[in-house]
Amino acid sequence: MAAVTEQTSFLKSEVLSQIGNLELLSTRVVDGILSGKHRSTLLSGSYEFANHRAYSAGDEIRMIDWKVYARRDRYYIRQFEETTNLQGMMVVDCSGSMEFGLSTVSKLDYARAACACLSRLMLRQRDAVGLAIVGNKVESYLPPKGYPLYLQSILHTLEQTKALGQTRLGPNLFDLMRRLKRRGFFILFTDGLGDWDAISDALKQARLRGHEVLLFHVMAPEELSFRFNRWSRFECLEAVGTKLDLDPPSVREIYLRNLNAFLDKVRGECTGMGADYVLLSTDQDLGTSLRYYLGRRTARNKQ
């Protein structure tokens, strides 16, 4: 629900002031995360067969496929593609509720920025990254690939992403998982509003399929504090035309009680299924939030 009576124009994060240029933002954040830290040695990629091509002068004899030669009496070279260490599927919720932003950028813009930063980080580690924009359907889909220039396709898709009203996030996550051929990271950016039970069932299915699940729960500070002080009109960003006039102080206590119960449920179910849960408020510095989470994750994995 969006309040339309209170507006501020400033952004609380210097990093988010660059959100109009996702490439610049992701560069700054990722460089900030990596600077001053010892980078662990990356495991070298493995190789899988891609296709054959005709032998030409200068090719290494050891790459000749002798079985093909025996069948065709011609020399063919085996070609391989380097496979990456990990595969990450970034999923961004583009439902109408993600459009909300009052004193900060919208939740969708914050999610797009976080997605861009983590995509750049994974590609710099020679991992494969894919992207899905999900609302009432899978609006856009880029299969996971691991070459650096693929980031431009990801950024272009993120820049074109708009909030699109109602969503069927849970069922669409099931559809998305059927497209993934390898196990890896399944990273979801959402506010979790709507049918959380369906979303939770999909994430549990992802865990059962062997994926490592990360949920970045993106919320606006007004949603977390409900700090409206005078009569306001709230408008639903998914059910167009649905409006509600109320006195916020009179309902703040029960709203916060219900909100905290919701957050506890989401956090608890993520923990229960073995998924990482990260609450992101759009008034937080994105670089600081990601650096803290990644540092904590690295420390945990070393134990």
Side-chain angles (χ1 to χ4, degrees):
M1 304 289 277
V4 297
T5 57
E6 300 184 8
Q7 293 287 338
T8 55
S9 60
F10 65 93
L11 299 177
K12 296 184 178 180
S13 165
E14 180 182 356
V15 173
L16 290 180
S17 68
Q18 304 295 333
I19 201 169
N21 188 329
L22 288 175
E23 183 168 14
L24 175 60
L25 172 67
S26 62
T27 300
R28 290 182 58 192
V29 172
V30 171
D31 286 348
I33 290 172
L34 294 178
S35 64
K37 293 182 178 292
H38 172 70
R39 300 188 194 181
S40 59
T41 302
L42 296 176
L43 297 175
S44 59
S46 60
Y47 295 83
E48 62 181 26
F49 174 75
N51 52 37
H52 289 98
R53 66 168 174 81
Y55 175 85
S56 60
D59 286 332
E60 294 186 52
I61 295 178
R62 66 184 180 88
M63 300 305 293
I64 295 176
D65 192 325
W66 296 105
K67 291 182 180 179
V68 174
Y69 171 76
R71 294 197 306 268
R72 301 186 180 182
D73 197 29
R74 293 185 62 184
Y75 295 116
Y76 284 88
I77 296 294
R78 291 172 295 177
Q79 291 185 305
F80 296 85
E81 290 183 354
E82 184 177 1
T83 59
T84 54
N85 301 316
L86 294 172
Q87 174 175 286
M89 173 52 65
M90 307 284 176
V91 185
V92 177
D93 176 5
C94 69
S95 59
S97 63
M98 293 289 287
E99 190 177 3
F100 179 63
L102 197 58
S103 63
T104 67
V105 296
S106 71
K107 292 182 286 184
L108 180 59
D109 281 347
Y110 198 92
R112 291 191 306 149
C115 178
C117 295
L118 290 177
S119 296
R120 178 180 288 274
L121 186 61
M122 289 194 69
L123 287 171
R124 285 188 61 168
Q125 295 176 162
R126 297 169 59 200
D127 296 325
V129 179
L131 173 66
I133 307 299
V134 181
N136 195 44
K137 61 180 181 179
V138 179
E139 304 290 344
S140 300
Y141 176 73
L142 298 176
K145 296 183 180 180
Y147 55 89
L149 290 179
Y150 199 48
L151 180 66
Q152 297 304 315
S153 297
I154 292 173
L155 294 177
H156 176 74
T157 301
L158 288 171
E159 288 166 355
Q160 301 301 312
T161 298
K162 307 294 182 184
L164 297 170
Q166 291 184 317
T167 183
R168 297 177 63 253
L169 186 56
N172 287 323
L173 292 179
F174 278 103
D175 175 60
L176 183 61
M177 277 182 285
R178 286 192 286 269
R179 307 187 191 191
L180 301 179
K181 306 304 181 184
R182 290 176 51 198
R183 293 179 295 179
F185 284 101
F186 194 84
I187 305 173
L188 175 61
F189 304 87
T190 181
D191 57 11
L193 301 179
D195 190 355
W196 164 252
D197 290 337
I199 298 172
S200 178
D201 288 343
L203 296 181
K204 290 174 184 176
Q205 183 63 31
R207 290 290 296 138
L208 290 174
R209 288 172 178 256
H211 297 291
E212 188 162 355
V213 173
L214 284 67
L215 175 64
F216 287 94
H217 196 178
V218 185
M219 300 288 287
E222 290 82 7
E223 292 174 319
L224 296 173
S225 67
F226 206 67
R227 58 189 185 203
F228 307 105
N229 296 315
R230 61 178 185 269
W231 273 92
S232 300
R233 171 168 292 180
F234 293 83
E235 180 177 354
C236 182
L237 295 174
E238 297 195 12
V240 178
T242 302
K243 301 177 181 179
L244 180 65
D245 296 318
L246 54 79
D247 178 31
S250 68
V251 298
R252 182 176 292 118
E253 182 178 352
I254 190 170
Y255 169 86
L256 292 176
R257 186 186 311 133
N258 290 335
L259 172 70
N260 289 326
F262 170 67
L263 295 178
D264 288 344
K265 179 179 181 180
V266 174
R267 185 184 300 107
E269 292 189 5
C270 285
T271 301
M273 71 178 76
D276 276 9
Y277 173 85
V278 183
L279 178 62
L280 294 176
S281 178
T282 57
D283 62 343
Q284 296 172 338
D285 179 88
L286 179 57
T288 300
S289 296
L290 291 180
R291 187 181 303 111
Y292 174 76
Y293 165 69
L294 294 172
R296 187 182 63 181
R297 179 182 174 85
T298 299
R300 183 185 66 199
N301 290 341
K302 288 182 178 179
Q303 293 179 351

